[in-house]
């Protein structure tokens, strides 16, 4: 019974998954704080970063507008501060392999050539 539990804990990428979860939670706080700063800057320009009381024509779209702006800012923060630098660093330190013949195709060619070499002439 305990052996099965030990195998469960040591199987797969449980440690990597737990590390990713912890890092994501910590990063979420950074992104949220960045969004708050940018919303405050928008508030300085436009008066208030919270559009909840905005009701054009009696339709309360303020909460939706606030959520939409927060989403766009969050997506921009993640893209420009995480995705783009990660992609550049990954390509710099781990360049992608030059295009060529896939390894499985090369292996099949070697097998074919070996089989041709085993055939007797005239058979």
């Amino acid at each position: 019974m305990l052996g099965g539990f030990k195998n469960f804990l040591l199987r797969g990428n449980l440690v990597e998954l737990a590390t990713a979860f912890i890092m994501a939670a910590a990063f979420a706080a950074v992104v949220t704080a960045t969004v708050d700063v940018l919303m405050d800057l928008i508030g300085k320009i436009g008066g208030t970063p919270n559009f909840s009381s905005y009701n054009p024509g009696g339709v309360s779209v303020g909460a939706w507008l606030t959520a939409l702006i927060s989403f766009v800012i969050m997506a921009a923060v993640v893209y420009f501060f995480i995705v783009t630098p990660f992609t550049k660093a990954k390509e710099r330190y781990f360049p992608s392999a030059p295009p060529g013949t896939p390894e499985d195709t090369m292996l099949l060619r070697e097998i074919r050539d070996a089989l041709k070499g085993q055939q007797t002439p005239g058979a």
Side-chain angles (χ1 to χ4, degrees):
M1 183 172 188
L2 290 177
F5 182 68
K6 178 179 132 191
N7 289 338
F8 168 74
L9 289 178
L10 298 177
R11 182 184 67 201
N13 297 332
L14 188 60
V15 173
E16 288 88 356
L17 183 60
T19 303
F21 181 75
I22 292 167
M23 293 300 295
F27 184 69
V30 172
V31 171
T32 301
T34 306
V35 169
D36 289 342
V37 167
L38 293 175
M39 288 296 280
D40 286 344
L41 291 174
I42 291 171
K44 297 275 186 199
I45 296 168
T48 180
N50 188 353
F51 304 101
S52 297
S53 61
Y54 183 61
N55 295 323
V59 179
S60 56
V61 295
W64 178 80
L65 188 59
T66 300
L68 179 65
I69 292 171
S70 294
F71 172 77
V72 170
I73 292 171
M74 190 173 302
V77 166
V78 168
Y79 180 76
F80 290 113
F81 293 110
I82 299 300
V83 174
T84 302
F86 175 76
T87 303
K88 288 180 182 178
K90 183 178 174 188
E91 191 60 35
R92 180 177 177 191
Y93 295 111
F94 303 103
S96 57
T101 306
E103 192 174 323
D104 57 345
T105 303
M106 292 295 292
L107 181 62
L108 288 172
R109 287 181 183 168
E110 289 176 14
I111 293 170
R112 176 197 63 198
D113 294 343
L115 289 174
K116 279 184 180 180
Q118 290 179 358
Q119 291 178 351
T120 57

